[in-house]
Amino acid sequence: RVDYTPVLTQSPRLEGQTTASTFVLDQPRCVFEEYGTADIWLVVALEQAVSTFNNSAGPGTPNTSFQSFPDPVRAYMTLNATLANYPCPKAAGDITVLRVGSETSCIGDGTRPSCNGPLPGPGPYRVKFLALQGSEPVAETHWSDQIKLKTAQSPGSISTTGSGHSGGMIAITTILSILLAILLAGLVAMLVFWGSDLCGGSSTFSKPESVAVRRYNTHHVYDQPAARL
């Protein structure tokens, strides 16, 4: 057993340390340096299966298949790698993590028993890294502490009483609602007043005064006889 315990990553640049179906571990850098030709596997187990897991079960078998997890299989093996995938020491600035549960294409594919598929529930889970030389286990880490995933909140449990709003916000909202109601009432009254004024003006017309036209008799101009000489 090597003196290493898998842990959830604490990288500040990585969000989603745990989700409803995944969690993120630090890579086991500088842990299996003495086993250069070994394959390194991650064992994911339910809490109650830790004490009964058999290191000789072997990956890719019905006893360690992801597709049969969590019932009847209580622990499965995934994310196989070699030391080339975990160089030591790590380069400065590298994000050296493993996201467990990130594959969806192989969930129901029985030909890929080591699928890194989404976790089926909130757990708790515990994990360890296991080094195999061929099919022979040669080294293992300690089991991790319990890993619990996030659970989605059911719609029925969400409060609708507005407890998430402060008293100040409620007061401001109430005042704005009252002012808006007053403004609308004033606007309606103004429209009614203008409408009645227009209707009353259209029904009265002033009668135009009669214009008396005075008749004139024009003086006819007659040709006067020529002045007598």
Side-chain angles (χ1 to χ4, degrees), residues 101-227:
S102 61
E103 290 186 80
T104 58
S105 60
C106 55
I107 293 176
D109 187 356
T111 64
R112 295 183 59 190
S114 58
C115 173
N116 180 30
L119 281 303
Y125 303 100
R126 294 178 68 183
V127 301
K128 72 175 180 179
F129 290 98
L130 178 64
L132 300 178
Q133 192 73 52
S135 59
E136 183 73 19
V138 293
E140 65 175 333
T141 67
H142 299 287
W143 286 98
S144 69
D145 292 335
Q146 289 186 356
I147 299 173
K148 296 181 180 180
L149 304 186
K150 298 182 183 297
T151 55
Q153 189 175 5
S154 62
S157 64
I158 299 176
S159 175
T160 58
T161 59
S163 58
H165 301 286
S166 65
M169 287 185 63
I170 296 175
I172 292 174
T173 302
T174 303
I175 293 173
L176 290 176
S177 299
I178 294 173
L179 292 176
L180 180 59
I182 294 174
L183 179 62
L184 290 175
L187 181 60
V188 170
M190 186 179 299
L191 291 174
V192 171
F193 174 77
W194 284 351
S196 62
D197 184 60
L198 290 174
C199 291
S202 61
S203 61
T204 57
F205 295 94
S206 58
K207 185 178 180 181
E209 296 180 0
S210 58
V211 179
V213 180
R214 182 173 297 177
R215 189 171 182 178
Y216 292 92
N217 291 325
T218 58
H219 297 279
H220 296 281
V221 179
Y222 302 96
D223 292 332
Q224 296 180 1

Side-chain angles (χ1 to χ4, degrees), residues 44-46 65-76 118-121 125:
V44 182
L46 297 175
S65 170
F66 167 80
Q67 285 77 17
S68 298
F69 182 80
D71 187 27
V73 171
R74 315 297 277 177
Y76 68 96
L119 281 303
Y125 303 100

Side-chain angles (χ1 to χ4, degrees), residues 7-56:
V7 293
L8 292 174
T9 185
Q10 301 298 318
S11 173
R13 293 183 293 169
L14 183 68
E15 296 183 0
Q17 181 194 64
T18 60
T19 67
S21 60
T22 68
F23 57 88
V24 183
L25 300 171
D26 281 334
Q27 291 181 0
R29 296 293 183 98
C30 306
V31 174
F32 296 101
E33 294 303 297
E34 297 179 13
Y35 309 94
T37 59
D39 292 323
I40 303 167
W41 291 82
L42 177 70
V43 182
V44 182
L46 297 175
E47 170 68 25
Q48 58 269 35
V50 167
S51 60
T52 60
F53 179 75
N54 183 2
N55 286 344
S56 299

